[in-house]
DNA sequence: ATGAAAGCGCTAACAT
DNA sequence: ATGTTAGCGCTTTCAT
């Protein structure tokens, strides 16, 4: 269980502490502490002596000790399912920026979609006394999160919600986003539309699928069987979906994908089978990761305002940490359809990404 | 300075500690500690009573206190320049996996190429008493890193080296990698080859450029002026390089890019100006990120074995943390050329990434 | 303005 | 096998 490793390795002598600094400066340890925390009651001359002693000794304050005594932490946790997924990388970037702004460190937990691992990470973060946790749960059923929220532990859900958990959250309206996407496709004349799922256990995949069905109904498109294909939010999973797609009969003329990675992988798979986008199949993604806007891609998608979500998440977290027992606040941002070229709605004289000329 | 936030927010009562558990179980606090750390000298019956008390009270051990007294940390730092860069996302994923294996948490520091920020992050990590730091320095000149290494603080450089710092490190042979790339292009008949730089201050961009020049010389290709274009390891920077590229006269027939993101952006820019790859310009990247292998991309590139690098970095870090004053170990992995389709060496009936059909 | 002293929650001798 | 005790390095009363 105890695999911790020494903070001061073999050769190194023990780090200097504030007492040694005090001795060096000829003051009490309490005074050093006062200088460190910028307490007003320190004479300019002593402050100077202390600062010199700090410099001379190479003293580095121990945050662990400080946190232990103050019960305040300068660390938060970020739990995501896959940091190599552009969406989460961009989220991590934005959240780190926000955290830095607030003088907070971020412990990154990459669950790889593993339920047990997510639980373990959460527990570990709590043991580490993080001030709070921002989590995009790998699964809609994640009981341990509910327990933490119940204990009034500061948790903010982001992007993905969790069943039976009422906590602060920042999400977009996934259902209406998917409906907008279907509406867009329908308006372009498509009536055979496929949906490529993400990881089925996530709230995002579920909600987007609901929106897909609702969108079909709203557009008066009859339901077809077999038009929902499995995916897993990964490029490779979506490539397999593309294979399945090509053998559908009648083959849909459009596909709504559970996220942009899925859309990209799906298009990769289509291209591999000689099918063009949007000619043979219109494609809509979800997220609007940076890659989606590049010229060779120009993916029509539902936008998630990632930076804004990170900003709001941090705001909720800090509010929760400082606040009294506030009611949970769920922020649902509107889902915006970004029309680019993969549905043919906009003409785009696209060459190839890496064209064989 | 002190922006820490409370670990126990407003409403919540103070967390239970091991003393309360002891009281509940009718044992001494030391016994609780023994149960927690799996000490052998605990009678099965008492252990059971303690475990029950832990369960009943919802006790969560405080790692800060433990670390404070043991001088052992279960946290390491990871410093990268840009987590949305696929290479670093993949590195973070691999390192997190390694860390989890070793029961370690990872504090993510995203420097955004900012010198000051990198220094601040490093300092913060030290204050947090992390056991060690894995850093891919945003710049080859990073004095503070040298100071830490001098103080025998466990640091492992990964991917990028730092001037005048002799520390544990894991890198690939960037010079020879670039030479191989140039050799490959030369063997395909190219004699006008461009190099698209990364961030100039990084060791990787510098070494790869050195390899570029060495490669030209090795292939007997005369140096041309103006064949080195500025980039910044970003897609957008590389798009601008593509614009500059098109106005070169004579225009090179091939380009070696400082990394895969650069290659992708460069190709995006070429496509945007109606130039095809490899027909109008052969392209070689550097890193072999996952995207490079997808069918619509098929980027010829120099491979970095990211998982292996993370594994070795963690190994070096743990060795350093536990070890006596060992001499620094610099692991230089061979650079492997991965031939795909962007140089025309392999025929690849590629359609478009998202082809207008 | 400064110092002395009491812990924060835990581990690790040292007793018994 | 269990309890007692002394800290880890810091903040924070409370004196002075």
């Amino acid at each position: 269980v105890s695999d911790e490793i020494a903070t001061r390795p073999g050769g190194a002598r023990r780090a200097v502490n504030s007492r040694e600094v005090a001795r060096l400066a000829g003051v009490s340890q309490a005074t050093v502490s006062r200088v460190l925390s910028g307490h007003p009651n320190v004479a300019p001359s002593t402050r100077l002596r202390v600062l010199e002693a700090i410099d001379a000794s190479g003293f580095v304050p121990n945050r662990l000790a400080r946190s232990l005594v103050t019960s305040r932490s300068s660390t938060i946790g970020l739990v995501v399912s896959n940091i190599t997924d552009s969406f989460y990388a961009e989220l991590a970037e934005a959240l780190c920026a926000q955290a830095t702004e607030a003088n907070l460190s971020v412990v990154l937990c990459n669950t790889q979609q593993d339920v047990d691992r997510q639980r373990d990470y959460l527990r570990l973060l709590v043991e580490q006394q993080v001030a709070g946790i921002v989590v995009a749960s790998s699964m809609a059923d994640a009981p341990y999160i509910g327990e933490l929220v119940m204990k009034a532990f500061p948790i903010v859900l982001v992007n993905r919600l969790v069943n039976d958990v009422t906590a602060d959250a920042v999400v977009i309206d996934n259902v209406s986003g998917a409906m907008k996407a279907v509406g867009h496709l329908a308006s372009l004349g498509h009536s055979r539309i496929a949906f490529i799922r993400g990881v089925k256990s996530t709230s995002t995949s579920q909600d987007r699928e609901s929106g897909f069905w609702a969108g079909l109904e709203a557009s008066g498109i009859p339901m077809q069987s077999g038009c929902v294909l499995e995916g897993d939010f990964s490029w490779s999973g979506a490539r397999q979906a593309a294979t399945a797609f090509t053998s559908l009969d009648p083959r849909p003329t459009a596909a709504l994908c559970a996220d942009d990675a899925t859309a990209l992988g799906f298009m990769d798979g289509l291209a591999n089978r000689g099918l063009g986008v949007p000619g043979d199949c219109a494609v809509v993604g979800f997220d609007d990761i940076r890659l989606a806007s590049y010229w060779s891609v120009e993916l029509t998608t539902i936008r998630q305002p990632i930076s804004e979500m990170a900003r709001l998440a941090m705001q909720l977290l800090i509010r929760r940490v400082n606040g009294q027992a506030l009611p949970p606040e769920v922020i649902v941002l509107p889902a915006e359809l970004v029309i680019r070229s993969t549905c043919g709605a906009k003409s785009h004289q696209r060459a190839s990404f890496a064209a064989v000329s």
Side-chain angles (χ1 to χ4, degrees), chain A:
Chain A
V1 176
S2 170
D3 295 54
E4 285 109 357
I5 51 186
T7 42
R8 301 280 98 215
R13 72 191 185 301
R14 172 143 127 289
V16 313
N17 57 24
S18 57
R19 253 196 27 228
E20 293 185 49
V21 172
R23 212 176 26 73
L24 241 134
V27 297
S28 77
Q29 188 269 329
T31 300
V32 175
S33 182
R34 288 195 188 96
V35 171
L36 249 58
S37 48
H39 192 99
N41 279 359
V42 182
S45 61
T46 28
R47 146 167 275 112
L48 209 71
R49 273 216 320 280
V50 170
L51 288 173
E52 276 167 2
I54 287 177
D55 242 41
S57 61
F59 168 72
V60 175
N62 185 328
R63 290 210 173 224
L64 262 43
R66 169 195 279 236
S67 285
L68 183 61
V69 59
T70 58
S71 294
R72 301 172 154 273
S73 165
S74 54
T75 304
I76 63 170
L78 172 62
V79 179
V80 299
S81 52
N82 178 6
I83 190 66
T84 64
D85 180 324
S86 296
F87 175 79
Y88 290 114
E90 291 178 27
L91 182 69
E93 176 183 63
L95 200 82
C96 281
Q98 290 292 332
T100 301
E101 201 108 334
N103 265 300
L104 263 26
S105 305
V106 176
V107 174
L108 176 65
C109 301
N110 200 46
T111 65
Q112 324 247 60
Q113 311 274 9
D114 186 312
V115 202
D116 297 334
R117 196 175 282 225
Q118 177 165 303
R119 192 196 355 81
D120 293 348
Y121 277 139
L122 286 167
R123 192 179 167 87
L124 188 66
L125 289 172
V126 174
E127 290 188 3
Q128 285 183 164
Q129 311 296 114
V130 296
I133 303 179
V134 175
V135 42
S137 178
S138 301
M139 33 266 148
D141 282 309
Y144 191 60
I145 294 182
E147 288 177 35
L148 286 180
V149 173
M150 216 88 82
K151 286 188 197 164
F153 190 95
I155 293 227
V156 176
L157 306 178
V158 65
N159 183 42
R160 296 176 177 174
L161 296 176
V162 176
N163 293 336
D164 308 318
V165 169
T166 325
D168 292 331
V170 183
V171 293
I172 64 160
D173 187 338
N174 286 296
V175 174
S176 106
M179 288 181 70
K180 279 183 193 171
V182 172
H184 179 61
L185 291 170
S187 77
L188 293 169
H190 295 280
S191 61
R192 290 199 313 279
I193 306 176
F195 178 73
I196 319 297
R197 281 200 180 110
V199 172
K200 246 194 291 192
S201 61
T202 61
S203 71
T204 37
S205 182
Q206 290 164 9
D207 292 349
R208 290 166 193 177
E209 183 172 346
S210 300
F212 167 73
W213 292 115
L216 290 185
E217 189 169 347
S219 297
I221 298 176
M223 290 197 192
Q224 293 123 48
S225 63
C227 67
V228 172
L229 301 172
E230 296 306 325
D232 58 2
F233 288 133
S234 85
W235 195 289
S236 59
R239 286 201 49 158
Q240 292 177 32
T243 304
F245 178 84
T246 55
S247 57
L248 248 38
D249 185 25
R251 203 177 67 205
T253 60
L256 171 59
C257 299
D259 78 345
D260 284 353
T262 300
L264 264 25
F266 185 70
M267 292 194 293
D268 192 44
L270 290 184
N272 188 26
R273 328 258 320 174
L275 261 38
V277 171
D280 297 309
C281 179
V283 173
V284 183
F286 226 112
D287 283 351
D288 197 22
I289 58 176
R290 272 166 219 166
L291 189 51
S293 68
Y294 295 137
W295 193 82
S296 314
V297 179
E298 282 273 337
L299 175 66
T300 291
T301 190
I302 303 293
R303 180 163 182 270
Q304 295 220 61
I306 303 182
S307 299
E308 177 70 0
M309 290 168 78
R311 200 181 59 75
L312 291 169
M314 183 61 76
Q315 202 173 290
L316 286 182
L317 193 65
I318 290 180
R319 187 194 70 128
R320 171 70 48 194
V321 162
N322 296 328
Q324 325 307 333
L326 298 152
E329 182 168 344
V330 178
I331 299 179
V332 180
L333 299 171
E336 179 199 346
L337 174 68
V338 179
I339 298 175
R340 296 206 182 90
S341 312
T342 52
C343 296
K346 216 172 90 181
S347 85
H348 175 60
Q349 197 45 49
R350 191 196 298 103
S352 145
F353 187 53
V356 183
S357 66

